[in-house]
Amino acid sequence: MATTTLRVKGMTCDGCVRSVTRALTAVEGVSSVDVSLEKGEAVVTHADSTPVTALRSAVEEAGYDVE
């Protein structure tokens, strides 16, 4: 297992947190997601085989920017 922290820009409310969480949870190989509105980040635990680009794409497709 690996852990990746993504800096997520554009989240403004708890609904945004739920959207990002839902998007990341849907990525194959993801086992847990912890999104913090205050920190502007998502901490994702996933299989070693899950590419970080898939995580970034999921967040971007949900309408948010990833640094």
Side-chain angles (χ1 to χ4, degrees):
M1 298 301 279
T3 301
T4 300
T5 300
L6 302 172
R7 301 284 301 157
V8 181
K9 296 188 80 172
M11 294 190 300
T12 59
C13 64
D14 288 337
C16 296
V17 170
R18 286 190 294 275
S19 293
V20 171
T21 300
R22 195 169 34 250
L24 287 167
T25 302
V27 176
E28 186 174 339
V30 171
S31 60
S32 71
V33 177
D34 182 23
V35 180
S36 171
L37 179 61
E38 294 78 22
K39 293 181 181 178
E41 67 182 23
V43 179
V44 186
T45 303
H46 55 88
D48 291 331
S49 59
T50 302
V52 174
T53 54
L55 303 175
R56 292 176 62 90
S57 293
V59 173
E60 290 169 351
E61 287 173 15
Y64 303 92
D65 295 320
V66 180
E67 292 182 339

